[in-house]
Every structure is written in structure tokens, then in C-alpha cells.
Amino acid sequence: MKERIVRLKKLTYIPQNEIAWLIEQAELSVKQQEIIEENKRQQEVTVHQFRQAQKDIQHLSGESSRYKQALEKIITNLNFAITVAQNELEGDAE
């Protein structure tokens, strides 16, 4: 392709078939640029989605931690209530 371009630059008259080739190459270049721009746009969307997913994971991890702590408190309180109830039952049995 480079060789053909160099040869065309040297010509004072460009034949019709060479003009058609130049037009075709220009159209291909435009299509390639459009594809590159679409890929960049998709990459930006993907990066945004990834960052949002990271934030969501951090948020859910925090929620999970809070639920775990609350559940541990409930279990501790239930164990205490069970112990108290057992002591009362043992006291009533005597």
C-alpha cells in the first residue's frame, strides 16, 4: 500500500482506477476510525460498569458486616436468655 501511495504522489495525472482505489482506501479509513471510536466508547462504558460494580461490592460488604454484627448480638442475647431460663428451671427443680 505504501508503495502504491508513493507511486501516486509522483504522478501528475492520476488514472480513474487509481482514484477509485484512493476513494476506497479513504472509506476504509473512515470505517476503521468509526470502529475505533465505538471500541473506545464501549471500553469507557465497561470501565464505568466495573467501577460501579466495585462500589456495589464495597457497599454490600459493609452491609454484610453490619448484618453479621447484628446477628452476633442477637445470638449473644439469645444465649444469655437461654442461660437465664436454664438457671430458673434448675432453681425451680430444687
Side-chain angles (χ1 to χ4, degrees):
M1 185 164 148
K2 281 185 176 183
E3 295 157 356
R4 194 169 185 177
I5 292 170
V6 169
R7 185 172 55 80
L8 286 172
K9 285 181 179 180
K10 293 177 184 177
L11 296 176
T12 55
Y13 164 77
I14 301 176
Q16 190 65 34
N17 64 337
E18 296 296 346
I19 290 175
W21 179 81
L22 285 172
I23 292 170
E24 182 181 311
Q25 294 305 309
E27 289 172 343
L28 284 174
S29 179
V30 168
K31 287 179 184 177
Q32 288 174 340
Q33 189 60 38
E34 289 172 352
I35 290 169
I36 289 168
E37 288 173 6
E38 177 62 18
N39 287 343
K40 283 181 182 179
R41 189 191 67 75
Q42 288 178 2
Q43 185 179 22
E44 289 171 359
V45 168
T46 302
V47 167
H48 175 74
Q49 289 174 337
F50 178 76
R51 288 185 178 148
Q52 186 61 46
Q54 281 182 319
K55 288 179 184 177
D56 291 347
I57 289 169
Q58 288 173 347
H59 176 73
L60 291 173
S61 294
E63 278 188 7
S64 174
S65 177
R66 286 191 296 278
Y67 286 132
K68 183 178 177 182
Q69 289 173 352
L71 187 58
E72 287 172 351
K73 286 180 183 178
I74 291 170
I75 290 171
T76 300
N77 290 338
L78 285 173
N79 283 336
F80 178 74
I82 290 170
T83 301
V84 168
Q86 285 175 338
N87 289 340
E88 287 181 3
L89 286 174
E90 289 174 3
D92 287 344
E94 294 174 4

